[in-house]
Amino acid sequence: MNLPLPSASMVFPVFLQGLVLSLGLIVAIGAQNAFVLRQGLRREHVASVVLFCALTDAVLITAGVLGMAQALGNSPGVARAMALAGAAFLAWYGWQALLRARRTSQLKAAEGGAGLSHGAALAQAAAFTLLNPHVYLDTVLLVGSIGAQQPPGLQGWFVAGACIASLGWFTALGFGARWLAPLFAKPRAWQMLDGLIGATMWLLAALLVRHALLGA
């Protein structure tokens, strides 16, 4: 028996939730973003670095959603607890973003230094990505548990939104480095961005609590 295809009114909110959640977690001042910005400014192996970072995120997000969906499929109580835990983390993350919005900070790529070979650039991208424990918390556990809350027919759209956000961010950062670097060097820009991220994370947390308590 074939299941009916979900309507656009069902797909878009799930797709958007994956997109916004992934962007909120990935857009931050950190070593990985600084490295991608550096490669973009130097125009060294940009496509390979961008593709590696985006594909790694896609694999981790997909594994997280599918794994969590399977683990939580027959455990509604555990699923509800994971949703509430995810909401608590999003609320905390949003609070941290709002605190950052009160401080002055900037994203600057390291200047100078020798150029990297293709292998060395990918090795550094792998280190900045896979040796950061937060990447597993963000993609596998948090995004995975929230994606697993979606109906089975819509989980793929959630994953698509999250993966497109990652690909779009790294593509903009790498290939638009020469235009974006002056903006990212302005503390005011990051304050505004962190304020927006904080508010968005609180909204997502509220929606997740509603989902957990009402089963909607």
Side-chain angles (χ1 to χ4, degrees):
M1 180 178 179
N2 294 326
L3 295 175
L5 293 175
S7 64
S9 62
M10 298 169 62
V11 166
F12 182 71
V14 173
F15 177 87
L16 185 63
Q17 186 175 2
L19 182 81
V20 171
L21 176 63
S22 182
L23 272 179
L25 293 172
I26 199 173
V27 178
I29 297 176
Q32 183 191 45
N33 283 335
F35 177 71
V36 175
L37 185 64
R38 172 192 186 274
Q39 294 304 111
L41 289 171
R42 298 174 68 95
R43 299 181 180 177
E44 289 181 352
H45 320 299
V46 180
S48 297
V49 169
V50 165
L51 190 60
F52 176 86
C53 292
L55 284 178
T56 302
D57 270 4
V59 169
L60 292 174
I61 289 169
T62 303
V65 171
L66 295 181
M68 285 292 179
Q70 184 175 6
L72 302 179
N74 297 319
S75 305
V78 176
R80 186 176 298 108
M82 288 294 295
L84 293 174
F89 178 83
L90 288 178
W92 174 83
Y93 192 93
W95 175 248
Q96 293 299 308
L98 293 175
L99 289 179
R100 290 196 305 269
R102 300 180 60 185
R103 302 192 297 264
T104 56
S105 54
Q106 55 188 338
L107 174 65
K108 295 184 67 175
E111 299 178 357
L116 298 175
S117 66
H118 186 260
L122 289 180
Q124 287 199 23
F128 285 128
T129 302
L130 299 175
L131 296 182
N132 177 11
H134 287 287
V135 73
Y136 304 101
L137 173 65
D138 291 349
T139 57
V140 178
L141 186 58
L142 180 61
V143 178
S145 63
I146 295 177
Q149 309 291 327
Q150 311 300 328
L154 296 175
Q155 289 173 3
W157 291 102
F158 179 91
V159 170
C163 293
I164 287 175
S166 175
L167 177 61
W169 169 252
F170 287 122
T171 299
L173 193 60
F175 289 99
R178 293 188 179 274
W179 294 276
L180 294 176
L183 174 65
F184 290 162
K186 296 179 180 179
R188 181 61 178 168
W190 284 99
Q191 288 177 305
M192 295 176 62
L193 186 58
D194 279 327
L196 178 61
I197 289 173
T200 301
M201 289 301 174
W202 278 5
L203 175 60
L204 291 176
L207 292 175
L208 203 55
V209 169
R210 177 181 180 275
H211 175 87
L213 297 182
L214 301 181

